[in-house]
């Protein structure tokens, strides 16, 4: 009983800081997306493709969460100037970003000059689902080589996603992945979820994904913001 109380308090504290982060983002007109996936599903690749697709329309910044290395940040920094790395290895939560870490990263970004903030979460399908960061949309990437059973095995993260990106479509001839059964399982958990099929390698499907992100960003601008 006591343990459950402690866990709830941590999550409540996190939600409080996440709400502060979102207010700060809203005051500055920044739309934030939390990108979650297992390691190797293509979070960095999707971020790079998204930058290529939208950089002429939006000013983009990236927060890179990783357990140990700065490899992904270095790739992203070639494409956008505003990149903040969060390395979680020595932190209390190393399997996910939490709102407090993102709050610190936001202080290091020129928020007034940013339209879209892409947050690459730590590679994990369990921990990130519990911790809001202040994002406006939550996105999960699932790639074909991982298999089509992930929504059934990790329902929490998929049930709460605004969009799911099925990546590595170019692997379809080589792997057992039933796209229809994946989508059926996903819709069963989350009927309102948007689903995109892409290949970050070939660029297939990226246009649709970018158009959705742009539409959601515009819709968020029209939403009445909570009082400061
Ligand atoms: Mg990555």
């Amino acid at each position: 009983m006591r343990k459950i109380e402690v866990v709830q308090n941590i999550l409540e504290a996190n939600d409080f800081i996440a709400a502060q982060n979102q207010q700060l983002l809203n005051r500055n007109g920044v739309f934030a997306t939390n990108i979650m996936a297992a390691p190797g599903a293509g979070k960095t690749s999707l971020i790079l493709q998204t930058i290529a697709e939208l950089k002429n329309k939006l000013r983009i910044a990236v927060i890179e969460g990783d357990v140990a290395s700065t490899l992904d940040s270095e790739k992203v920094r070639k494409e956008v100037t505003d990149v903040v790395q969060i390395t979680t290895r020595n932190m209390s939560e190393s399997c996910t970003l939490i709102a407090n870490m993102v709050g610190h990263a936001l202080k290091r970004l020129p928020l007034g000059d940013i339209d879209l903030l892409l947050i690459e979460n730590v590679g994990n399908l369990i921990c990130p689902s519990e911790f809001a960061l202040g994002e406006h949309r939550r996105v999960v990437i699932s790639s074909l080589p991982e298999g089509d059973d992930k929504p059934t095995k990790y329902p929490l993260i998929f049930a709460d996603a605004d969009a799911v990106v099925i990546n590595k479509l170019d692997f379809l001839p080589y792997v057992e992945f039933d796209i229809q059964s994946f989508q059926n399982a996903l819709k069963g958990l989350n009927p309102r979820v948007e689903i995109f099929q892409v290949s970050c390698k070939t660029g297939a499907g990226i246009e649709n994904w970018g158009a959705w992100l742009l539409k959601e960003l515009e819709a968020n601008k029209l939403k009445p913001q909570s009082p400061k």
Side-chain angles (χ1 to χ4, degrees):
M1 185 67 196
R2 188 140 195 93
K3 189 160 183 236
I4 291 169
E5 276 174 31
V6 171
V7 169
Q8 276 184 347
N9 286 342
I10 290 169
L11 291 176
E12 273 171 30
N14 185 75
D15 282 348
F16 180 76
I17 300 169
Q20 287 182 328
N21 287 349
Q22 192 171 93
Q23 281 173 19
L24 179 64
L25 293 167
N26 287 341
R27 277 201 299 277
N28 286 279
V30 182
F31 180 78
T33 307
N34 180 2
I35 300 175
M36 300 170 286
K43 293 182 294 301
T44 312
S45 304
L46 186 70
I47 285 172
L48 292 170
Q49 284 285 4
T50 306
I51 292 167
E53 179 70 18
L54 296 176
K55 70 179 173 191
N56 294 333
K57 298 187 175 106
L58 301 171
R59 298 166 297 177
I60 302 173
V62 178
I63 294 176
E64 276 290 332
D66 230 323
V67 175
S69 84
T70 58
L71 291 173
D72 292 349
S73 288
E74 286 157 25
K75 284 185 207 161
V76 172
R77 211 179 290 274
K78 288 182 186 154
E79 307 303 325
V80 289
T81 36
D82 296 311
V83 182
V84 177
Q85 163 88 35
I86 301 172
T87 305
T88 61
R89 180 176 48 193
N90 296 320
M91 300 199 194
S92 56
E93 297 295 334
S94 60
C95 61
T96 178
L97 294 181
I98 63 174
N100 195 25
M101 300 173 191
V102 170
H104 284 290
L106 293 179
K107 289 183 191 153
R108 296 168 58 189
L109 287 169
L111 295 177
D113 298 329
I114 296 166
D115 304 307
L116 174 64
L117 174 62
L118 302 170
I119 304 171
E120 177 171 345
N121 214 316
V122 177
N124 191 303
L125 286 174
I126 301 168
C127 315
S129 63
E130 301 262 22
F131 291 89
L133 307 177
E135 73 274 34
H136 297 93
R137 296 293 182 276
R138 296 165 72 79
V139 178
V140 180
I141 307 171
S142 216
S143 69
L144 264 57
E146 294 169 63
D148 53 23
D149 57 0
K150 293 299 166 287
T152 312
K153 283 189 168 172
Y154 304 96
L156 207 58
I157 200 163
F158 286 97
D160 207 25
D162 298 295
V164 169
V165 175
I166 303 172
N167 186 26
K168 306 194 187 181
L169 216 56
D170 46 299
F171 273 74
L172 200 51
Y174 315 110
V175 294
E176 295 287 326
F177 191 105
D178 183 337
I179 292 183
Q180 197 55 54
S181 82
F182 178 93
Q183 290 185 330
N184 291 345
L186 185 53
K187 287 280 182 185
L189 288 167
N190 183 349
R192 63 172 189 95
V193 72
E194 296 277 346
I195 304 172
F196 299 93
Q197 296 183 23
V198 312
S199 165
C200 287
K201 190 175 176 192
T202 67
I206 294 297
E207 207 180 325
N208 288 343
W209 153 251
W212 177 80
L213 209 49
L214 203 54
K215 181 177 70 97
E216 296 296 299
L217 180 148
E218 294 297 336
N220 191 61
K221 278 187 198 163
L222 303 174
K223 218 179 73 179
Q225 305 298 355
S226 53
K228 316 284 180 278

